[in-house]
Amino acid sequence: MYALVDCNNFFVSCERVFRPQLEGKPVVVLSNNDGCVVARSNESKSMGIRMGTPFYQISRLADIGKLEVCSSNYTLYGDMSARVMSILTDAVPRIEIYSIDEAFLILDGFNEKDVRPLCSHLVAKIRKWTGIPVSIGIAPTKTLAKIASHFAKKYPGYKGVCMIDDDTKRVKALSMTPVGEVWGIGRRLAPKLEEAGVKTALDYACRPESWIRENFMLHGLRTWMELRGTVCVEAETEAARKSICTSRSFSRMLEDEEELSEKVSDFAARCAGKLREEGTAAGDVTVMLYTNRFRDDLEQYFPSATVRLQTAASNTQEIVSAALRAMKMIYRPGYKYKKAGVTVGNIVPAEAVQASLFGFDPELRSRNDRLSRLMDQVNAPGTSSLLRLASQKSGHYSDDIRREHCSRRYSTSFDELLEIR
DNA sequence: TCTGGGGTCCTAGGACCC
DNA sequence: TCTGGGGTCCTAGGACCC
């Protein structure tokens, strides 16, 4: 059996832990630059506010006091997530952290009748220890566990735990699940399926295998088998990431090459920092620029360029220098840029780096690496603000992000914790 | 005026090899 | 006029997830 533990309205719940006055009220959490709705409380969901709604379309509700608004505070959410995950890690031998607010428990070897009491206990314990409400879905496959967790969340009668452990329950649950809600079937495929008369998860699971294979290939077939109770999406072994990306929208549009270079340097430095944190090195660096896609009146331009490194690197100097070279290849004056990003790819473990036969200077590499490590020791974790390259200029990209409704860092800063009182 | 950020996997098609 | 067969690797683009 698999159990999917899913935090309810996670970002909103994090905010409520430290501001209980938000309890019972319609609340939304916004993306960077206070751009879009990325989390909603049950109350704001019932008001009809959709995921991804641009905030300016609903800001009037906030002005007249009918909606509480929070800018996103990822430091807080990351820390609350770690607390929830550590409780789960202590409770069972194998867990798979799937996202900031979800984890699968792999329950091989558990006696089936112990599973439900264990999960009920976890729901209560996580609520008591962290303040976060969670729902748990239990089923023989991950795809079915996802569906079970939807039921656990939606119907209070389940008290947070729903288990699909026989075929009657499976068929009932599938018949009540719209096909577009199934894990692995997204917004693009759902309309295509409905056109073909497949409206529920049960319709999908009852189609002949040949039809699924023909229309949706391997991925669709996996989902089909999982819905029928055959495990296809196995428990995963801890796999290293294959790429790391840092990208941001700017609070205003930028035209100047210098100004954009500062941002790109800073994003590249952040990517290099992430590489060092996980002990890996990257073989290439890609820079992307974006004009404002919502402005029909402005000329659009979405270029990208990749620079390959002769020898995979993780030090800030080499990653930033490659990013600036890539940026020079694509920057064109006259456009108004709204967003930029840096992705590092071809990632290998740092100790497995193959030195290039040509033009590789081990002395220089070693000096660069030592300097980066020193910067890591001086700078606060996850930042590059105190010691930084000259090309990063003035301060940190996150200083330039609009956050008009931001909560405090209650759980990671002692001073701010005291302010709760 | 105002519209997020970070990932993965699969497939088709082109380039290249013998 | 007429131009094989089999394979690998890489990349771009599309789909999905949170």
Side-chain angles (χ1 to χ4, degrees), chain A residues 31 56 222 241-243 245 247-249 294 338:
Chain A
S31 61
Y56 71 87
R222 273 198 206 131
R241 282 192 287 184
K242 294 174 177 170
S243 66
C245 175
S247 70
R248 290 293 182 280
S249 297
F294 297 103
K338 177 63 178 166

Short mmCIF file of all heavy atoms in Angstrom, two decimals, chain A residues 31 56 222 241-243 245 247-249 294 338, chain B residues 1-12:
data_model
loop_
_atom_site.label_atom_id
_atom_site.label_comp_id
_atom_site.label_asym_id
_atom_site.label_seq_id
_atom_site.Cartn_x
_atom_site.Cartn_y
_atom_site.Cartn_z
N SER A 31 1.77 34.79 -5.61
CA SER A 31 3.10 34.45 -6.12
C SER A 31 4.03 35.65 -5.98
O SER A 31 3.62 36.71 -5.52
CB SER A 31 2.97 34.06 -7.59
OG SER A 31 2.47 35.16 -8.32
N TYR A 56 -4.62 41.48 -9.55
CA TYR A 56 -5.29 42.76 -9.81
C TYR A 56 -6.77 42.57 -10.15
O TYR A 56 -7.57 43.48 -9.96
CB TYR A 56 -4.55 43.55 -10.92
CG TYR A 56 -4.70 42.98 -12.32
CD1 TYR A 56 -5.77 43.34 -13.12
CD2 TYR A 56 -3.76 42.10 -12.84
CE1 TYR A 56 -5.91 42.83 -14.41
CE2 TYR A 56 -3.89 41.58 -14.12
CZ TYR A 56 -4.97 41.95 -14.89
OH TYR A 56 -5.12 41.44 -16.15
N ARG A 222 0.32 3.80 -18.38
CA ARG A 222 0.70 3.67 -16.97
C ARG A 222 -0.44 4.12 -16.06
O ARG A 222 -0.79 3.43 -15.11
CB ARG A 222 1.90 4.58 -16.70
CG ARG A 222 3.17 3.91 -16.98
CD ARG A 222 4.30 4.64 -16.28
NE ARG A 222 5.50 4.38 -17.03
CZ ARG A 222 6.36 5.28 -17.44
NH1 ARG A 222 6.18 6.54 -17.13
NH2 ARG A 222 7.40 4.93 -18.13
N ARG A 241 19.10 15.67 -9.23
CA ARG A 241 18.44 16.55 -10.19
C ARG A 241 19.28 16.66 -11.46
O ARG A 241 20.49 16.58 -11.43
CB ARG A 241 18.26 17.93 -9.57
CG ARG A 241 17.09 17.97 -8.62
CD ARG A 241 16.76 19.38 -8.27
NE ARG A 241 17.75 19.95 -7.38
CZ ARG A 241 17.65 21.16 -6.85
NH1 ARG A 241 16.62 21.91 -7.17
NH2 ARG A 241 18.56 21.62 -6.04
N LYS A 242 18.57 16.86 -12.57
CA LYS A 242 19.26 16.94 -13.85
C LYS A 242 19.47 18.37 -14.30
O LYS A 242 20.28 18.65 -15.18
CB LYS A 242 18.46 16.19 -14.91
CG LYS A 242 18.44 14.71 -14.60
CD LYS A 242 17.54 13.95 -15.53
CE LYS A 242 17.64 12.46 -15.20
NZ LYS A 242 16.63 11.70 -15.89
N SER A 243 18.70 19.29 -13.74
CA SER A 243 18.89 20.70 -14.06
C SER A 243 18.44 21.54 -12.88
O SER A 243 17.64 21.08 -12.06
CB SER A 243 18.11 21.10 -15.31
OG SER A 243 16.73 21.00 -15.07
N CYS A 245 17.26 25.62 -11.99
CA CYS A 245 16.86 26.87 -12.64
C CYS A 245 16.60 27.95 -11.61
O CYS A 245 16.04 27.68 -10.55
CB CYS A 245 15.60 26.59 -13.46
SG CYS A 245 14.90 28.05 -14.21
N SER A 247 14.86 31.72 -11.91
CA SER A 247 14.29 32.72 -12.80
C SER A 247 13.32 33.60 -12.02
O SER A 247 12.74 33.15 -11.04
CB SER A 247 13.57 32.05 -13.97
OG SER A 247 12.39 31.42 -13.54
N ARG A 248 13.20 34.82 -12.43
CA ARG A 248 12.28 35.74 -11.77
C ARG A 248 11.70 36.73 -12.78
O ARG A 248 12.37 37.10 -13.74
CB ARG A 248 13.00 36.59 -10.71
CG ARG A 248 13.46 35.85 -9.46
CD ARG A 248 12.28 35.36 -8.61
NE ARG A 248 12.75 34.70 -7.42
CZ ARG A 248 13.18 33.44 -7.37
NH1 ARG A 248 13.18 32.70 -8.47
NH2 ARG A 248 13.61 32.92 -6.24
N SER A 249 10.47 37.15 -12.49
CA SER A 249 9.92 38.32 -13.17
C SER A 249 10.39 39.55 -12.43
O SER A 249 10.58 39.51 -11.22
CB SER A 249 8.39 38.28 -13.14
OG SER A 249 7.93 37.16 -13.83
N PHE A 294 2.09 39.58 -21.90
CA PHE A 294 0.72 40.09 -21.80
C PHE A 294 0.53 41.42 -22.51
O PHE A 294 -0.57 41.91 -22.60
CB PHE A 294 0.31 40.22 -20.34
CG PHE A 294 0.30 38.90 -19.62
CD1 PHE A 294 1.31 38.56 -18.76
CD2 PHE A 294 -0.72 38.00 -19.85
CE1 PHE A 294 1.31 37.33 -18.11
CE2 PHE A 294 -0.74 36.77 -19.21
CZ PHE A 294 0.28 36.43 -18.34
N LYS A 338 10.83 41.57 -19.18
CA LYS A 338 10.04 41.47 -17.96
C LYS A 338 10.56 40.36 -17.05
O LYS A 338 10.26 40.31 -15.87
CB LYS A 338 8.58 41.18 -18.35
CG LYS A 338 7.61 40.98 -17.21
CD LYS A 338 7.46 42.21 -16.34
CE LYS A 338 6.42 41.96 -15.24
NZ LYS A 338 6.47 42.98 -14.19
P DT B 1 -3.34 51.34 -17.88
OP1 DT B 1 -3.92 50.09 -18.30
OP2 DT B 1 -4.15 52.30 -17.14
"O5'" DT B 1 -2.16 50.98 -16.88
"C5'" DT B 1 -0.84 51.34 -17.13
"C4'" DT B 1 -0.02 50.73 -16.03
"O4'" DT B 1 -0.62 51.03 -14.74
"C3'" DT B 1 0.03 49.20 -16.10
"O3'" DT B 1 1.36 48.80 -15.87
"C2'" DT B 1 -0.89 48.75 -15.00
"C1'" DT B 1 -0.66 49.84 -13.97
N1 DT B 1 -1.77 49.96 -12.99
C2 DT B 1 -1.45 49.85 -11.65
O2 DT B 1 -0.32 49.65 -11.26
N3 DT B 1 -2.51 49.97 -10.81
C4 DT B 1 -3.83 50.20 -11.15
O4 DT B 1 -4.69 50.29 -10.29
C5 DT B 1 -4.10 50.32 -12.56
C7 DT B 1 -5.49 50.56 -13.06
C6 DT B 1 -3.08 50.19 -13.40
P DC B 2 1.82 47.27 -16.14
OP1 DC B 2 3.28 47.26 -16.04
OP2 DC B 2 1.14 46.83 -17.37
"O5'" DC B 2 1.22 46.44 -14.93
"C5'" DC B 2 1.83 46.48 -13.66
"C4'" DC B 2 1.13 45.53 -12.73
"O4'" DC B 2 -0.16 46.05 -12.40
"C3'" DC B 2 0.88 44.15 -13.35
"O3'" DC B 2 1.91 43.28 -12.91
"C2'" DC B 2 -0.46 43.73 -12.77
"C1'" DC B 2 -1.14 45.03 -12.37
N1 DC B 2 -2.25 45.45 -13.27
C2 DC B 2 -3.30 46.17 -12.70
O2 DC B 2 -3.28 46.41 -11.50
N3 DC B 2 -4.31 46.57 -13.50
C4 DC B 2 -4.29 46.29 -14.81
N4 DC B 2 -5.31 46.72 -15.53
C5 DC B 2 -3.22 45.56 -15.39
C6 DC B 2 -2.23 45.16 -14.60
P DT B 3 2.52 42.23 -13.96
OP1 DT B 3 3.78 41.75 -13.41
OP2 DT B 3 2.45 42.79 -15.33
"O5'" DT B 3 1.45 41.06 -13.91
"C5'" DT B 3 1.21 40.37 -12.69
"C4'" DT B 3 0.76 38.97 -13.03
"O4'" DT B 3 -0.49 39.03 -13.75
"C3'" DT B 3 1.72 38.22 -13.95
"O3'" DT B 3 1.79 36.86 -13.51
"C2'" DT B 3 1.08 38.30 -15.32
"C1'" DT B 3 -0.39 38.29 -14.95
N1 DT B 3 -1.25 38.94 -15.94
C2 DT B 3 -2.23 38.19 -16.53
O2 DT B 3 -2.39 37.01 -16.28
N3 DT B 3 -3.00 38.87 -17.44
C4 DT B 3 -2.90 40.20 -17.79
O4 DT B 3 -3.64 40.69 -18.61
C5 DT B 3 -1.85 40.93 -17.13
C7 DT B 3 -1.64 42.38 -17.44
C6 DT B 3 -1.09 40.28 -16.25
P DG B 4 3.01 35.94 -13.91
OP1 DG B 4 4.03 36.83 -14.46
OP2 DG B 4 2.49 34.83 -14.70
"O5'" DG B 4 3.51 35.30 -12.55
"C5'" DG B 4 3.88 36.09 -11.43
"C4'" DG B 4 4.85 35.27 -10.64
"O4'" DG B 4 4.20 34.07 -10.19
"C3'" DG B 4 6.06 34.81 -11.46
"O3'" DG B 4 7.21 34.94 -10.68
"C2'" DG B 4 5.76 33.38 -11.83
"C1'" DG B 4 4.88 32.93 -10.67
N9 DG B 4 3.88 31.94 -11.06
C8 DG B 4 2.96 32.06 -12.05
N7 DG B 4 2.20 31.01 -12.17
C5 DG B 4 2.66 30.14 -11.19
C6 DG B 4 2.24 28.85 -10.83
O6 DG B 4 1.34 28.18 -11.34
N1 DG B 4 2.99 28.34 -9.78
C2 DG B 4 4.01 28.99 -9.15
N2 DG B 4 4.62 28.35 -8.17
N3 DG B 4 4.42 30.21 -9.47
C4 DG B 4 3.70 30.72 -10.50
P DG B 5 8.64 34.62 -11.33
OP1 DG B 5 9.60 35.48 -10.62
OP2 DG B 5 8.55 34.60 -12.79
"O5'" DG B 5 8.87 33.13 -10.84
"C5'" DG B 5 8.98 32.91 -9.45
"C4'" DG B 5 9.36 31.49 -9.25
"O4'" DG B 5 8.23 30.64 -9.55
"C3'" DG B 5 10.49 31.02 -10.17
"O3'" DG B 5 11.38 30.29 -9.35
"C2'" DG B 5 9.80 30.12 -11.19
"C1'" DG B 5 8.67 29.57 -10.36
N9 DG B 5 7.52 29.08 -11.10
C8 DG B 5 6.88 29.65 -12.17
N7 DG B 5 5.88 28.94 -12.60
C5 DG B 5 5.86 27.82 -11.76
C6 DG B 5 5.01 26.70 -11.74
O6 DG B 5 4.07 26.45 -12.48
N1 DG B 5 5.33 25.81 -10.72
C2 DG B 5 6.37 26.00 -9.83
N2 DG B 5 6.55 25.05 -8.92
N3 DG B 5 7.18 27.05 -9.83
C4 DG B 5 6.86 27.91 -10.83
P DG B 6 12.80 29.88 -9.85
OP1 DG B 6 13.71 30.18 -8.75
OP2 DG B 6 13.02 30.39 -11.21
"O5'" DG B 6 12.67 28.31 -9.97
"C5'" DG B 6 12.54 27.57 -8.77
"C4'" DG B 6 12.08 26.21 -9.15
"O4'" DG B 6 10.80 26.32 -9.82
"C3'" DG B 6 12.96 25.49 -10.16
"O3'" DG B 6 13.78 24.58 -9.44
"C2'" DG B 6 11.99 24.73 -11.04
"C1'" DG B 6 10.64 25.10 -10.49
N9 DG B 6 9.62 25.21 -11.52
C8 DG B 6 9.44 26.18 -12.46
N7 DG B 6 8.43 25.95 -13.25
C5 DG B 6 7.93 24.74 -12.80
C6 DG B 6 6.84 23.97 -13.25
O6 DG B 6 6.07 24.20 -14.19
N1 DG B 6 6.69 22.81 -12.51
C2 DG B 6 7.48 22.44 -11.45
N2 DG B 6 7.19 21.29 -10.85
N3 DG B 6 8.49 23.15 -11.00
C4 DG B 6 8.67 24.28 -11.73
P DG B 7 14.96 23.81 -10.19
OP1 DG B 7 16.07 23.74 -9.25
OP2 DG B 7 15.15 24.34 -11.55
"O5'" DG B 7 14.35 22.37 -10.28
"C5'" DG B 7 14.28 21.75 -11.51
"C4'" DG B 7 13.13 20.79 -11.42
"O4'" DG B 7 11.92 21.50 -11.70
"C3'" DG B 7 13.18 19.72 -12.49
"O3'" DG B 7 13.98 18.66 -11.99
"C2'" DG B 7 11.72 19.30 -12.58
"C1'" DG B 7 10.97 20.59 -12.22
N9 DG B 7 10.35 21.22 -13.37
C8 DG B 7 10.64 22.43 -13.96
N7 DG B 7 9.85 22.72 -14.96
C5 DG B 7 8.99 21.64 -15.03
C6 DG B 7 7.91 21.39 -15.91
O6 DG B 7 7.49 22.09 -16.84
N1 DG B 7 7.29 20.17 -15.64
C2 DG B 7 7.67 19.32 -14.62
N2 DG B 7 6.97 18.19 -14.50
N3 DG B 7 8.67 19.55 -13.79
C4 DG B 7 9.27 20.72 -14.05
P DT B 8 14.70 17.67 -13.02
OP1 DT B 8 15.66 16.86 -12.26
OP2 DT B 8 15.12 18.44 -14.20
"O5'" DT B 8 13.49 16.75 -13.47
"C5'" DT B 8 12.80 15.98 -12.49
"C4'" DT B 8 11.72 15.20 -13.22
"O4'" DT B 8 10.80 16.16 -13.81
"C3'" DT B 8 12.31 14.41 -14.37
"O3'" DT B 8 12.20 13.04 -14.11
"C2'" DT B 8 11.48 14.77 -15.59
"C1'" DT B 8 10.42 15.70 -15.08
N1 DT B 8 10.28 16.85 -15.98
C2 DT B 8 9.22 16.86 -16.84
O2 DT B 8 8.40 15.95 -16.89
N3 DT B 8 9.14 17.96 -17.64
C4 DT B 8 10.00 19.04 -17.67
O4 DT B 8 9.82 19.97 -18.44
C5 DT B 8 11.10 18.96 -16.75
C7 DT B 8 12.10 20.07 -16.69
C6 DT B 8 11.19 17.88 -15.95
P DC B 9 12.95 12.02 -15.10
OP1 DC B 9 13.23 10.84 -14.28
OP2 DC B 9 14.02 12.72 -15.84
"O5'" DC B 9 11.83 11.66 -16.17
"C5'" DC B 9 10.54 11.25 -15.75
"C4'" DC B 9 9.67 11.21 -16.99
"O4'" DC B 9 9.50 12.55 -17.49
"C3'" DC B 9 10.29 10.40 -18.12
"O3'" DC B 9 9.35 9.42 -18.53
"C2'" DC B 9 10.58 11.41 -19.22
"C1'" DC B 9 9.62 12.54 -18.91
N1 DC B 9 10.09 13.88 -19.32
C2 DC B 9 9.30 14.65 -20.18
O2 DC B 9 8.22 14.19 -20.57
N3 DC B 9 9.73 15.87 -20.56
C4 DC B 9 10.90 16.33 -20.12
N4 DC B 9 11.28 17.55 -20.52
C5 DC B 9 11.72 15.57 -19.24
C6 DC B 9 11.29 14.36 -18.87
P DC B 10 9.78 8.27 -19.57
OP1 DC B 10 9.10 7.05 -19.13
OP2 DC B 10 11.24 8.31 -19.76
"O5'" DC B 10 9.11 8.78 -20.90
"C5'" DC B 10 7.70 9.03 -20.91
"C4'" DC B 10 7.36 9.63 -22.25
"O4'" DC B 10 7.93 10.95 -22.33
"C3'" DC B 10 7.94 8.83 -23.42
"O3'" DC B 10 6.86 8.39 -24.22
"C2'" DC B 10 8.88 9.80 -24.13
"C1'" DC B 10 8.45 11.17 -23.63
N1 DC B 10 9.53 12.16 -23.48
C2 DC B 10 9.42 13.37 -24.17
O2 DC B 10 8.44 13.58 -24.90
N3 DC B 10 10.39 14.31 -24.02
C4 DC B 10 11.43 14.07 -23.21
N4 DC B 10 12.36 15.02 -23.08
C5 DC B 10 11.55 12.84 -22.49
C6 DC B 10 10.58 11.92 -22.65
P DT B 11 7.15 7.46 -25.50
OP1 DT B 11 5.95 6.62 -25.68
OP2 DT B 11 8.50 6.87 -25.38
"O5'" DT B 11 7.20 8.53 -26.67
"C5'" DT B 11 6.17 9.51 -26.74
"C4'" DT B 11 6.44 10.38 -27.96
"O4'" DT B 11 7.44 11.37 -27.62
"C3'" DT B 11 6.97 9.60 -29.15
"O3'" DT B 11 6.22 9.96 -30.29
"C2'" DT B 11 8.44 10.02 -29.26
"C1'" DT B 11 8.43 11.40 -28.62
N1 DT B 11 9.69 11.81 -27.94
C2 DT B 11 10.13 13.09 -28.11
O2 DT B 11 9.55 13.91 -28.80
N3 DT B 11 11.28 13.40 -27.43
C4 DT B 11 12.02 12.57 -26.62
O4 DT B 11 13.03 12.96 -26.07
C5 DT B 11 11.51 11.23 -26.48
C7 DT B 11 12.23 10.24 -25.64
C6 DT B 11 10.37 10.91 -27.15
P DA B 12 6.41 9.16 -31.66
OP1 DA B 12 5.08 8.60 -31.98
OP2 DA B 12 7.58 8.27 -31.58
"O5'" DA B 12 6.75 10.34 -32.67
"C5'" DA B 12 6.28 11.66 -32.39
"C4'" DA B 12 7.08 12.65 -33.22
"O4'" DA B 12 8.30 13.01 -32.50
"C3'" DA B 12 7.54 12.10 -34.57
"O3'" DA B 12 7.42 13.13 -35.53
"C2'" DA B 12 8.99 11.67 -34.33
"C1'" DA B 12 9.44 12.67 -33.27
N9 DA B 12 10.43 12.16 -32.32
C8 DA B 12 10.55 10.90 -31.81
N7 DA B 12 11.54 10.76 -30.96
C5 DA B 12 12.11 12.02 -30.90
C6 DA B 12 13.21 12.53 -30.18
N6 DA B 12 13.93 11.81 -29.33
N1 DA B 12 13.51 13.84 -30.35
C2 DA B 12 12.77 14.57 -31.19
N3 DA B 12 11.72 14.19 -31.92
C4 DA B 12 11.44 12.89 -31.73
#
